Amino acid sequence: MGEGEKARLLTWSHELRAVHERLREALGVTRTALAHGGDAAGPATRELLLHCHGFCAALTGHHEGEDRELFPSIAQQHPHLREALHHLQQDHSMIAHLLAGLQAAVERSATPVELDRHLEGVAAIMESHFRYEERQLAAVLETLSLDADVHDVLGPL
């Protein structure tokens, strides 16, 4: 069985939860890299730069895929969810703003304390967003008809 066939056997609900879990793990790895980078205020390590960049790119790619592919399909098949989708897109904008702040802090070699504050803010909003999204969309994602590549819809993870 090929990758495409396996993906079709899984529901979009399962796929969304799996991507959310991988993003949570990526954030955890990023926070661990920061914590092990030392307590001294100094430039961010190359490892931390890579973790932050990778995490930010993955989360951004996930939300862009949802906005471009998933949400329009849901809105078309389930118009009663348009308000919830609008709220989710607003969350995407807020998270993008927080990620831009994190990236700017990393680029200017902010202290570990400041970087952790940025990561804490992203973590709080991201978790709230994921839980709301899963609650609002789980039922429709179980039966959603969307013939698209999982990576195009839910991002590179």
Side-chain angles (χ1 to χ4, degrees), residues 49-63:
L49 290 171
L50 290 173
H51 286 298
C52 282
H53 177 72
F55 168 72
C56 291
L59 187 56
T60 298
H62 170 65
H63 289 157

Side-chain angles (χ1 to χ4, degrees), residues 13-157:
S13 178
H14 171 83
E15 295 291 346
L16 180 70
R17 284 188 174 102
V19 168
H20 285 175
E21 190 55 35
R22 287 191 296 274
L23 287 165
R24 286 177 178 111
E25 290 169 6
L27 178 60
V29 167
T30 302
R31 294 190 84 183
T32 298
L34 177 62
H36 291 140
D39 295 328
T45 65
R46 186 180 310 176
E47 182 179 343
L48 177 59
L49 290 171
L50 290 173
H51 286 298
C52 282
H53 177 72
F55 168 72
C56 291
L59 187 56
T60 298
H62 170 65
H63 289 157
E64 287 173 349
E66 286 181 331
D67 289 344
R68 182 183 59 251
E69 300 280 341
L70 184 63
F71 291 174
S73 294
I74 292 173
Q76 181 182 17
Q77 295 175 41
H78 302 277
H80 64 282
L81 289 173
R82 286 192 174 144
E83 185 176 338
L85 295 171
H86 177 72
H87 289 299
L88 290 167
Q89 288 174 312
Q90 287 178 319
D91 282 356
H92 290 176
S93 293
M94 183 185 337
I95 292 169
H97 176 74
L98 293 173
L99 290 176
L102 171 61
Q103 288 177 314
V106 168
E107 288 169 10
R108 73 173 187 288
S109 298
T111 66
V113 171
E114 183 182 346
L115 292 172
D116 190 56
R117 277 196 311 262
H118 281 282
L119 287 169
E120 181 64 33
V122 170
I125 300 301
M126 184 184 86
E127 188 59 36
S128 172
H129 169 76
F130 285 175
R131 288 181 182 189
Y132 177 76
E133 186 171 60
E134 290 170 6
R135 275 193 320 272
Q136 293 297 310
L137 304 182
V140 300
L141 290 175
E142 289 293 324
T143 60
L144 182 70
S145 175
L146 176 59
D147 186 24
D149 183 80
V150 171
H151 295 77
D152 290 341
V153 176
L154 298 177
L157 288 176

